[in-house]
Amino acid sequence: MLAKVNSSAVFGLEAIPIEVEVDIASQGLPSFTIVGLPDKAVEESKERVRSAIKNTGAEFPAKRITVNLAPADLPKEGPSYDLPIALGILLASGQLTGTVNDAVFIGELSLDGRVRPVKGVLSHTMTAKKRGLSSVYVPSENAKEAAIIPKISIYPVENLTTLLKHFSKLEVISPQKSTKLKEYITQEQYDLDMADIKGQEKVKRAMEIAAAGGHNIILKGPPGAGKTLIARTLPSILPKLTFQEVLEVTNLYSISGLLTTTVITNRPFRSPHHTTSSVGLIGGGTLPIPGEISLAHRGVLFLDEFPEFPRNVLEALRQPIEDGFVTISRSKGKITYPAKTMLVAALNPCPCGHLGSTKHQCICSSSQISRYTKRISGPMLDRIDIHLDVPAVEVKKLVDQNMDSQKESSSVIRKRVQKARDIQEKRFKNTSLITNADLSLRDVKKFCKLSPACLLLLEKATEKMQLSARSYNRMIKLARTIADLENVPHIMPSHIAEALQYRPRFV
C-alpha cells in the first residue's frame, strides 16, 4: 500500500516542498530503505522511526518498506523527516486512517516517540501557507514560533501517541493560539546607556545619525578613548523592529539553530573576533549557512580591531555592505541571504595607538604605520558613511559629577531616532526600502531632491575632498537622515555641511 505525506526542506531562507512517499510491499524480504539523496541524519531516522513506532504501541511492519523523499535530486539533511516518515508507515500499513493531504508534518522523533524541536520551523510554516495548505503539525516546543504566521492552523505535537489519537478522533489536538508580538515586546533593558559615556558629544551625535538612517560608521582613536563602549551602547538607541523585520530576523536565527526565544524583538548585535574566517563572517559550508553579517541583519555588526581582520575577510565584506545581501554559490546550489546591517568598525591610529597624541609618544616607525593603515583598502573605507576621530577623554570630564545630570539618556535619544525612522517609513511606504541607507542611485534622485545651493556646496566639496561617485551619493543619503532628525522635508545646505564633516579628507 502507498501513502503520501507532505513535508518540506529548508534551503537558504526558503522551505522547499517535499513529498514523503511510503510504499509497503507485500512481497520480498523485510527491509527499510530511504531514497531521495538523504544525508546521514536522514538515514539514521530508520532506527528512530522503528523504535518510536514500537514504543508507541503500534506495530512496525515486518515487510519491505521503501521511503522516497521527492524531489529526488534535492539533498535532504536533518532529522525533521522523522515524523512524516513514521506517519506515512502507519498510513501505508493501515494502522491509521485519515486525510493528511492538506497538512505539513515536521519533527524529529526520539526512541520513545516524543517529538523533538527542529530548526527552520518559521520557513516551513511560511511555505505551507504559500502552498495554500490549511495546517502544519510541528513539535510542541516550536508551536509558538510557527504561530507567528497568521491564517494557518498550527498543531503542537508532543509525541507520536497524541498524533495517532488525533487522527483516530480519540483525543483531538487543540490548535496553537496565534502568537502576538505585543506579548513578547517588553521594556528593553540595556547594560549600557549613552548617559554613562563621558564627553564625546560629537561622537554621540554621529551615532544618533547613524542609528536614524542605518548608516555605516568607523571609529578611530587611541586605546581607552571609549570606542568599544560607544559601539556597544549603540543598540540602546536603535528603533524598534517592524513586524516584517521581526519575521526576517527570527527566520534567520531559526534556520541557524540559534533561536533561544519564541521570537526576536530586539535588534541583533554581533561582534565576531578578528580571527573569524571569511566563511564565519560571510557564510558558507557544503550546504551554506548564514554568517555573522547575515545574523546581524537589521541590527549591528561590530568589528573591533578592524585592521586585525585578515585582508581577504575585509574585502569579502565589500559586496554585502554595498548590496545588502550575500550570495553563496556551491556545487549543490546557490543561496542568497539578507545582509542589511549597520557596520560599526573600530581601530587605532597606529599599531601602538598613540599616533597624534599629545600625552604619549608614538613608538611606531613610518613603515609600520603605513602597513597598518593599508590593511584596510580604499574601496572598503569608501563604503562607510561616517568616519569619526574619537579623542581621549579629558580628565576633568571624567571626574566632573555635575556633568552627569546634563547628559541625555539612551531613551531620550531613541525617541528622536524612532521619529526619524517613522518619517522614513512613511516616505518609503510603497517600496521595499526601510532606511535612508537602503537608497539606490535611482532612489536618491527620487527621494533626495537638492536645491541649487546644496548642489553647489556638494560640487565644491567633491572637488576639494576628492570624493568618489559612491561617496557623493552617500553624503546625500546622510544629509537626508540629518534632515529627518530635524523633521525638515527638504535637504538644506546645513545638512550637507554636517554630512561632509563625517568624511575623511582623502579616502
Side-chain angles (χ1 to χ4, degrees):
M1 186 175 175
L2 179 66
K4 296 182 180 180
V5 180
N6 294 319
S7 188
S8 52
V10 175
F11 193 73
L13 285 177
E14 301 292 330
I16 301 173
I18 299 293
E19 189 175 56
V20 180
E21 301 175 313
V22 180
D23 177 68
I24 300 180
S26 58
Q27 297 179 346
L29 295 174
S31 64
F32 191 176
T33 306
I34 299 178
V35 296
L37 288 183
D39 71 347
K40 186 65 175 176
V42 180
E43 280 284 351
E44 291 176 347
S45 69
K46 292 185 290 188
E47 302 307 320
R48 292 192 297 270
V49 169
R50 189 195 312 272
S51 298
I53 290 177
K54 288 182 178 180
N55 291 326
T56 300
E59 180 185 350
F60 188 83
K63 296 181 180 180
R64 183 182 179 88
I65 303 173
T66 303
V67 177
N68 179 40
L69 306 177
D73 60 343
L74 180 71
K76 318 299 187 307
E77 65 170 3
S80 61
Y81 305 102
D82 290 3
L83 187 62
I85 290 174
L87 185 62
I89 291 174
L90 294 172
L91 288 168
S93 63
Q95 299 180 69
L96 185 65
T97 58
T99 303
V100 296
N101 298 332
D102 202 29
V104 169
F105 296 84
I106 302 293
E108 175 189 348
L109 288 174
S110 62
L111 298 184
D112 61 359
R114 288 182 295 110
V115 182
R116 298 179 182 274
V118 294
K119 298 188 296 184
V121 166
L122 201 57
S123 290
H124 293 297
T125 308
M126 287 190 287
T127 297
K129 184 178 179 181
K130 289 177 183 178
R131 295 170 64 185
L133 302 179
S134 64
S135 54
V136 182
Y137 291 79
V138 300
S140 55
E141 293 182 39
N142 294 126
K144 289 184 178 180
E145 175 191 341
I148 298 173
I149 307 300
K151 299 180 180 179
I152 186 168
S153 299
I154 307 299
Y155 291 93
V157 183
E158 292 186 5
N159 51 59
L160 195 54
T161 302
T162 58
L163 191 64
L164 290 174
K165 291 181 179 179
H166 174 77
F167 283 105
S168 301
K169 308 298 183 183
L170 297 176
E171 188 177 326
V172 178
I173 300 175
S174 300
Q176 178 69 37
K177 293 182 179 179
S178 179
T179 300
K180 304 296 184 183
L181 294 185
K182 292 181 180 179
E183 299 176 4
Y184 294 89
I185 298 176
T186 58
Q187 187 66 34
E188 299 179 16
Q189 300 292 331
Y190 297 99
D191 295 332
L192 302 172
D193 193 281
M194 281 291 178
D196 299 329
I197 299 175
K198 305 287 186 178
Q200 310 294 11
E201 283 74 17
K202 180 182 177 181
V203 178
K204 286 189 280 188
R205 164 65 176 172
M207 298 301 282
E208 179 180 342
I209 295 171
H215 301 285
N216 302 323
I217 188 167
I218 188 167
L219 306 172
K220 182 179 180 180
K227 302 184 296 296
T228 302
L229 174 64
I230 293 167
R232 293 190 178 278
T233 310
L234 178 59
S236 67
I237 65 171
L238 290 176
K240 61 183 180 181
L241 287 169
T242 63
F243 178 73
Q244 184 59 38
E245 289 176 328
V246 166
L247 286 182
E248 293 174 5
V249 177
T250 303
N251 192 25
L252 273 166
Y253 277 73
S254 179
I255 65 173
S256 303
L258 300 175
L259 193 62
T260 57
T261 59
T262 300
V263 59
I264 294 178
T265 56
N266 295 335
R267 294 187 180 273
F269 182 89
R270 307 293 297 187
S271 180
H273 192 259
H274 59 76
T275 56
T276 302
S277 66
S278 58
V279 172
L281 196 61
I282 304 300
T286 305
L287 288 174
I289 60 174
E292 291 290 339
I293 192 169
S294 293
L295 294 174
H297 179 62
R298 299 302 180 190
V300 177
L301 176 65
F302 176 47
L303 301 183
D304 203 0
E305 305 298 340
F306 199 44
E308 300 300 332
F309 283 80
R311 179 68 178 260
N312 66 308
V313 174
L314 294 182
E315 294 305 296
L317 282 173
R318 284 162 54 175
Q319 181 267 329
I321 289 174
E322 185 75 11
D323 299 335
F325 62 87
V326 56
T327 300
I328 306 168
S329 298
R330 295 293 183 267
S331 59
K332 294 184 178 180
K334 182 171 67 174
I335 295 177
T336 298
Y337 289 117
K340 291 186 180 297
T341 178
M342 286 178 59
L343 173 65
V344 180
L347 71 157
N348 297 322
C350 66
C352 77
H354 299 302
L355 180 65
S357 174
T358 57
K359 298 181 179 179
H360 300 88
Q361 184 178 359
C362 177
I363 60 173
C364 304
S365 65
S366 57
S367 59
Q368 287 177 317
I369 297 173
S370 178
R371 284 195 301 269
Y372 184 77
T373 55
K374 286 181 179 179
R375 292 179 184 177
I376 309 171
S377 66
M380 183 69 220
L381 292 173
D382 204 25
R383 286 164 167 79
I384 298 176
D385 303 325
I386 300 176
H387 296 248
L388 277 179
D389 287 325
V390 184
V393 184
E394 299 177 11
V395 177
K396 64 179 181 180
K397 291 185 177 181
L398 285 174
V399 299
D400 190 352
Q401 300 295 328
N402 295 325
M403 293 184 63
D404 293 342
S405 60
Q406 303 173 4
K407 293 179 181 178
E408 287 186 315
S409 65
S410 291
S411 59
V412 174
I413 299 174
R414 186 166 61 247
K415 288 179 181 178
R416 293 199 297 264
V417 170
Q418 185 65 59
K419 287 181 180 179
R421 285 289 183 100
D422 291 341
I423 292 172
Q424 294 168 54
E425 183 180 359
K426 184 177 179 180
R427 180 186 301 132
F428 306 139
K429 185 176 181 180
N430 297 320
T431 70
S432 60
L433 303 170
I434 294 182
T435 65
N436 290 328
D438 298 337
L439 293 171
S440 65
L441 179 60
R442 182 178 298 178
D443 295 326
V444 168
K445 294 179 180 179
K446 180 180 179 180
F447 295 107
C448 303
K449 302 294 184 181
L450 297 177
S451 64
C454 292
L455 289 171
L456 180 61
L457 178 59
L458 267 176
E459 180 184 354
K460 292 181 178 179
T462 302
E463 293 179 356
K464 188 173 182 179
M465 301 175 67
Q466 301 180 12
L467 298 180
S468 66
R470 180 185 290 110
S471 297
Y472 179 88
N473 286 295
R474 285 186 177 274
M475 287 303 94
I476 297 175
K477 291 189 283 187
L478 194 60
R480 177 68 271 173
T481 299
I482 296 171
D484 289 341
L485 279 171
E486 296 181 6
N487 197 16
V488 177
H490 301 292
I491 299 175
M492 307 295 289
S494 60
H495 305 143
I496 297 289
E498 183 175 0
L500 289 170
Q501 293 179 12
Y502 300 122
R503 292 302 299 182
R505 188 171 182 80
F506 298 102
V507 178

